[in-house]
Amino acid sequence: MITRCTRVRVLLLLGLACSWVTNGQRLDMKVLGNRNLIEIPFDLENDFIVISVLLNNTIPLRFIVDTGAENTVLLDRRVTDLLDVNYRRSFQVRGADIDNELLAHLATGVNLRLADRLLARNRSILVLQENYFNFERITGTNIHGILGADFLMRFVLEIDFRKQLLVLHDPTRYRHPRSLTKVPATFVRNRPYLLTGIGVLRDSTTDRRLLMDTGAGLSLLLHSFVGAEQPDLPEQTIPTYIASGLGGTLNGSVGRSRTVEVGDRMLTGVVTYFHEVDTAGLLWSNDRDGLIGTQLLKRFRVVIDYPREAVYLRAEGRRWKQKFRFDRSGLSLLAGGDNLRMYSVSNVVPGSPAERAGVQVRDRLRAINGISTNLLSLEGIIRKLQGRVGKKIRLRVYREGRLYELTFRLEELI
């Protein structure tokens, strides 16, 4: 199992005010081709929304579309150095562990071409001094940047997970369909927060303020508080690595919430991560109680009307009813190597099937059920480890110069 909840925490808003002009174009944005809608195809990579971006009409990159990030971010300065981009200034940003400060730069005059549909000209973006995230290891695919709220805030953003399309609507012309349900939402620095009813231990719910975060490849994360006498945790949880973020990692536990109200639907058995925070952590969280990630949002058609600060949802067919899947092996994996087809064990849950079979941290997977891992994606391996209870898993692992054959059966862990 691997969870993904990465975030840039920067208290700087880089959006530039600009209104729509004739023919659906703006002074600093040009719609490419004769199109009434700006439709941008995306790949769903381990529950991250990934789009193609051409930087300065020269370098092809892949960006995660992240409604939970304030800013558009390039993850590695070496890319902009190649293009001799201007850096207006440098500054420190705080990492996910709150204590560490990391170096970033403000780059100006950058052009972003989105999937040959939209040209954003003369943009300002953040550029990290180093790639602190290493998205490749947790997604199994190349990721170079984050498209944040400073870019998205000018549009009505529609996310169609079924067709894997982003649609950027002109807010002066958009009228939301009646089939969509408006959900209670507030916006802070152009990031949407939903008021969501959650029952962790029982069917009755209490309202939680959750960041709507497509940059989190999980379903639900809730904060628990240091020193709480009665922690709001399910009866059955396991310790887990939750997130890799700027300058640190987040650890906690994972279980299932009994009920979660999203729009006009009631979801049950929602896989939920719990992260303990203290007073210092609350300072940068905008008083939120957690976040809703893509693993839950992909069950809905999502519309975020940034100019009007409104959010609409529509349940997609039967997808919203599907059981939330979770790892049944006890393994966390990371991708590596030149082609991201080298998979190593980063964590083993104590008492899990994998631990009892003898799998160890830093083991390298060579085959699973007779199939070479060179032929499998990270997401494909994770899906196999989420298989039916009782399914036999045969691993061939490499450890300290030797190959080992290890066998176990999948079990319900939460």
Side-chain angles (χ1 to χ4, degrees):
M1 178 278 277
I2 183 169
T3 58
R4 290 84 57 190
C5 171
T6 49
R7 177 86 313 98
V8 179
R9 303 298 180 195
V10 184
L11 302 181
L12 182 68
L13 183 63
L14 301 178
L16 305 176
C18 183
S19 61
W20 284 81
V21 295
T22 59
N23 297 323
Q25 298 189 17
R26 294 183 252 199
L27 297 178
D28 64 342
M29 290 197 182
K30 179 181 179 181
V31 178
L32 303 176
N34 185 19
R35 297 182 175 91
N36 294 323
L37 292 177
I38 305 172
E39 294 183 332
I40 300 173
F42 67 83
D43 296 320
L44 200 60
E45 303 276 8
N46 254 335
D47 292 320
F48 287 102
I49 299 171
V50 182
I51 65 171
S52 298
V53 175
L54 193 63
L55 183 67
N56 281 8
N57 209 35
T58 302
I59 301 180
L61 303 174
R62 285 159 58 82
F63 275 42
I64 288 174
V65 177
D66 190 347
T67 60
E70 289 184 43
N71 305 103
T72 296
V73 181
L74 187 67
L75 300 178
D76 195 333
R77 177 177 172 169
R78 290 176 296 180
V79 176
T80 44
D81 283 350
L82 287 173
L83 299 174
D84 198 25
V85 167
N86 292 323
Y87 300 109
R88 180 172 296 178
R89 65 188 182 95
S90 301
F91 47 89
Q92 301 289 328
V93 296
R94 287 199 177 274
D97 58 4
I98 305 304
D99 297 322
N100 290 335
E101 289 191 341
L102 308 169
L103 185 61
H105 310 278
L106 176 61
T108 59
V110 175
N111 296 330
L112 302 174
R113 189 183 185 106
L114 275 61
D116 288 328
R117 301 296 197 277
L118 180 68
L119 177 61
R121 298 175 288 200
N122 198 31
R123 299 289 300 174
S124 296
I125 65 173
L126 293 181
V127 180
L128 301 186
Q129 176 68 20
E130 299 176 31
N131 190 348
Y132 304 106
F133 286 99
N134 291 316
F135 270 115
E136 291 84 359
R137 302 207 72 194
I138 60 175
T139 64
T141 189
N142 291 314
I143 301 295
H144 307 100
I146 296 168
L147 194 72
D150 64 320
F151 187 96
L152 301 171
M153 68 182 191
R154 307 179 185 188
F155 302 97
V156 176
L157 171 66
E158 181 180 359
I159 308 175
D160 186 339
F161 287 99
R162 179 173 291 177
K163 295 181 180 179
Q164 294 193 187
L165 274 180
L166 299 178
V167 185
L168 303 179
H169 295 275
D170 179 344
T172 65
R173 300 176 181 177
Y174 179 79
R175 298 293 181 270
H176 71 270
R178 293 184 178 180
S179 59
L180 295 172
T181 299
K182 187 176 183 180
V183 297
T186 57
F187 284 66
V188 178
R189 295 190 178 93
N190 299 299
R191 296 183 299 169
Y193 291 77
L194 305 185
L195 195 63
T196 305
I198 297 177
V200 176
L201 299 173
R202 54 190 64 87
D203 291 336
S204 59
T205 65
T206 57
D207 287 338
R208 314 288 182 105
R209 187 168 182 262
L210 305 178
L211 176 65
M212 188 177 186
D213 192 351
T214 59
L218 46 71
S219 49
L220 188 66
L221 181 144
L222 296 178
H223 294 155
S224 57
F225 298 98
V226 174
E229 295 182 2
Q230 294 182 335
D232 189 11
L233 295 174
E235 294 181 4
Q236 187 174 354
T237 63
I238 58 174
T240 189
Y241 155 83
I242 299 175
S244 175
L246 233 170
T249 59
L250 302 179
N251 296 295
S253 57
V254 59
R256 292 183 185 269
S257 294
R258 287 181 63 90
T259 55
V260 177
E261 293 179 287
V262 181
D264 58 355
R265 294 292 188 268
M266 181 75 76
L267 310 181
T268 60
V270 179
V271 173
T272 306
Y273 296 85
F274 298 88
H275 175 233
E276 193 173 61
V277 297
D278 55 18
T279 304
L282 291 177
L283 293 177
W284 54 263
S285 68
N286 294 318
D287 293 324
R288 71 168 183 254
D289 298 304
L291 60 85
I292 293 178
T294 305
Q295 207 171 91
L296 188 151
L297 293 172
K298 70 182 182 181
R299 296 161 182 255
F300 296 83
R301 176 74 63 90
V302 176
V303 173
I304 305 174
D305 188 336
Y306 283 95
R308 299 177 184 86
E309 297 192 344
V311 175
Y312 301 86
L313 299 175
R314 185 181 72 205
E316 289 282 39
R318 298 180 180 178
R319 296 176 64 181
W320 71 273
K321 295 182 180 180
Q322 294 175 356
K323 181 179 175 61
F324 284 84
R325 302 176 67 176
F326 185 74
D327 168 69
R328 288 172 168 153
S329 68
L331 291 178
S332 294
L333 303 174
L334 294 174
D338 293 337
N339 61 355
L340 295 173
R341 287 293 188 270
M342 181 185 295
Y343 307 110
S344 59
V345 176
S346 60
N347 186 61
V348 184
V349 174
S352 65
E355 190 209 38
R356 296 197 304 269
V359 182
Q360 299 180 14
V361 172
R362 291 187 292 277
D363 282 354
R364 291 185 180 179
L365 270 61
R366 291 294 181 83
I368 179 169
N369 288 353
I371 302 174
S372 170
T373 52
N374 288 328
L375 303 176
L376 298 172
S377 66
L378 179 61
E379 186 171 14
I381 295 174
I382 291 172
R383 290 296 182 191
K384 289 181 179 296
L385 299 179
Q386 294 175 341
R388 61 176 174 79
V389 172
K391 181 177 177 60
K392 181 185 287 188
I393 299 294
R394 293 176 288 111
L395 297 182
R396 181 181 299 124
V397 303
Y398 178 83
R399 179 193 309 156
E400 297 179 349
R402 295 183 57 187
L403 289 173
Y404 295 85
E405 302 285 343
L406 306 174
T407 303
F408 56 86
R409 294 185 182 275
L410 300 178
E411 299 176 4
E412 202 73 84
L413 299 180
I414 60 173

